[in-house]
Amino acid sequence: MIQSVKKFLQLESASGILLLAFATLAILFANSPLKTLYFDFLSLPVSIQIGLFSIHKPLLMWVNDGFMAVFFILVGLEVKREMLIGAISSYQRAIFPAIGALGGMLVPALVFALLNQESPEFQQGWAIPMATDIAFALGVLALLGKRVPFALKIFLLALAIIDDLGAIVVIAIFFSHELSTAALISAAIAIILLVIMNRLKVTAICAYIVVGLVLWASVLKSGVHATLAGVIIGFCVPLKGKNGEKPLEQFEHILAPWCAFIILPLFAFSNAGVSLAGMSLNTLASPLTLGVALGLLIGKTVGVFGFSYFAVKLGIAKLSDGINFKQIFAVSVLCGIGFTMSMFLAGLAFGGEEADGKFISLARLGILIGSGLSAVLGYTLLRLFTSPVTPSSNA
């Protein structure tokens, strides 16, 4: 039994499978006799107080503002590594997925806006279909194993990372609330300390954690979304130390399993619980549900593929050896798996007020439909457009 668990955790697709399992479990809880227990559990008040400083939030907000900040540290680490030595470390490497990512952010937002132009109460959800879930998308890709060309995996990874950068910018600009000057000053001091530690090549991970906690608490109180603290912490960890240490890689290896197998599944369980009670065909026809679902399924596909195709045809970018436009199209469909990041953005857009409770349910339903269809269709097209690896081709 233990060996079977170890083998499962070593699978590339394991994190994506866990996300799906916990999301399904959440939907079952939310639509069963246990739904009161499920929603009461998420509403459980949790408080931390040190002297005059205190944080009082329901459990759901601790998951979204606290645990997801840890996930965004990992995002910051991955983005920095890829920018310095990885898939987007040069103009030639970055331009093709960057253009695809740009299209994958603009077109879904446009699709959502067009479908909700007569519904002003829904329009703040325009950013929801912009996101791509890295873990889920790469998990689906991993199900096909070695038949997927390496260059195609790199394209999806780089595109998803740039997509995350776009989401970070959107969160910073559009989802910050009334700002606290004192908290911002405290956050600025913490950032300066992190930058100094980076310049001095400090490699002790615990030092970044301690200062990072101060930064997170300050950003949380400032009105800027707390997960941005995670990104800043990730960017401040140095790639190499004075004696050849690799703190960024070390921190990434520490956080990756926690994020993949605990934090993201917990987030999925906490946010995917959509109650279907009272929902009908009219619910599915809601501009909010349709805008999110079609933004992910159609907007992502058209945006990523269209921008990528014309970038190559206009000579701005070059298609990597070993892949073709059919495979790029399949990956473009796969980018419609918004799931985790889309759920997160839906919470930012509609989770602030009790009156928006129905809105967030409609948005989450659209995310589940759009992400599910994108996953199934993307997997099917990739299987159709890639060839199985034969023993001779492996020689």
Side-chain angles (χ1 to χ4, degrees):
M1 178 66 179
I2 294 175
Q3 289 299 319
S4 298
V5 172
K6 284 182 177 179
K7 285 182 180 178
F8 172 75
L9 294 179
Q10 288 170 355
L11 289 173
E12 285 185 78
S13 55
S15 59
I17 294 170
L18 274 179
L19 275 175
L20 180 61
F22 275 80
T24 304
L25 192 63
I27 295 169
L28 292 175
F29 267 100
N31 294 279
S32 74
L34 296 172
K35 64 180 180 181
T36 302
L37 179 65
Y38 171 75
F39 288 112
D40 285 349
F41 173 70
L42 296 179
S43 302
L44 188 71
V46 179
S47 301
I48 289 180
Q49 184 161 351
I50 302 173
L52 296 176
F53 178 83
S54 63
I55 302 175
H56 305 280
K57 286 181 176 290
L59 183 60
L60 176 62
M61 290 297 101
W62 278 100
V63 172
N64 291 352
D65 292 346
F67 290 169
M68 284 301 284
V70 178
F71 168 69
F72 273 89
I73 294 176
L74 182 62
V75 171
L77 293 168
E78 289 179 341
V79 170
K80 180 175 180 177
R81 173 173 50 79
E82 295 298 330
M83 288 177 69
L84 293 177
I85 58 172
I88 52 175
S89 60
S90 67
Y91 173 83
Q92 290 78 11
R93 288 184 175 186
I95 190 63
F96 187 45
I99 291 173
L102 180 64
M105 289 184 280
L106 293 178
V107 179
L110 180 61
V111 169
F112 181 92
L114 288 174
L115 289 170
N116 286 274
Q117 57 184 328
E118 302 297 329
S119 307
E121 69 276 20
F122 298 149
Q123 286 174 6
Q124 66 197 71
W126 60 271
I128 298 171
M130 291 174 64
T132 296
D133 188 308
I134 298 178
F136 231 136
L138 290 177
V140 172
L141 209 65
L143 293 174
L144 293 165
K146 294 181 180 179
R147 67 187 291 154
V148 178
F150 181 70
L152 201 60
K153 292 181 181 179
I154 292 298
F155 172 75
L156 177 59
L157 177 64
L159 188 146
I161 286 171
I162 296 168
D163 193 286
D164 273 353
L165 271 176
I168 290 164
V169 172
V170 167
I171 292 168
I173 296 174
F174 297 101
F175 294 104
S176 294
H177 305 293
E178 293 182 10
L179 302 180
S180 163
T181 303
L184 284 174
I185 291 172
S186 176
I189 293 170
I191 292 171
I192 290 169
L193 282 174
L194 286 170
V195 172
I196 292 172
M197 288 160 59
N198 174 277
R199 302 305 296 173
L200 294 175
K201 302 290 185 183
V202 174
T203 58
I205 299 300
C206 59
Y208 292 94
I209 293 174
V210 171
V211 180
L213 280 171
V214 175
L215 175 61
W216 174 79
S218 301
V219 173
L220 182 69
K221 290 290 188 178
S222 73
V224 178
H225 201 271
T227 50
L228 293 174
V231 179
I232 295 168
I233 296 165
F235 267 95
C236 287
V237 176
L239 186 66
K240 291 184 180 179
K242 292 178 181 178
N243 300 312
E245 305 98 330
K246 297 181 178 180
L248 188 147
E249 185 177 318
Q250 179 190 354
F251 203 7
E252 195 175 345
H253 286 168
I254 292 170
L255 291 181
W258 286 93
C259 290
F261 302 120
I262 296 179
I263 291 174
L264 289 180
L266 179 60
F267 177 84
F269 179 76
S270 303
N271 288 272
V274 179
S275 175
L276 302 178
M279 291 192 179
S280 62
L281 289 176
N282 288 335
T283 304
L284 295 176
S286 162
L288 178 54
T289 305
L290 280 177
V292 172
L294 295 180
L296 288 169
L297 182 62
I298 306 298
K300 274 287 184 182
T301 302
V302 173
V304 173
F305 181 76
F307 274 53
S308 300
Y309 180 83
F310 284 110
V312 172
K313 292 301 179 183
L314 294 173
I316 300 171
K318 182 183 177 183
L319 198 63
S320 299
D321 294 335
I323 60 175
N324 56 52
F325 277 119
K326 287 183 179 180
Q327 294 166 345
I328 293 294
F329 180 78
V331 167
S332 300
V333 176
L334 210 57
C335 287
I337 306 175
F339 200 66
T340 306
M341 287 299 296
S342 291
M343 290 281 186
F344 186 74
L345 288 167
L348 295 182
F350 298 119
E353 299 177 12
E354 288 298 323
D356 290 335
K358 185 178 179 182
F359 293 176
I360 198 168
S361 293
L362 292 173
R364 286 173 176 170
L365 182 62
I367 292 166
L368 293 173
I369 293 170
S371 296
L373 290 174
S374 296
V376 172
L377 186 57
Y379 173 85
T380 304
L381 290 174
L382 267 176
R383 191 171 184 84
L384 185 65
F385 296 149
T386 56
S387 302
V389 176
T390 61
S392 60
S393 63
N394 253 347

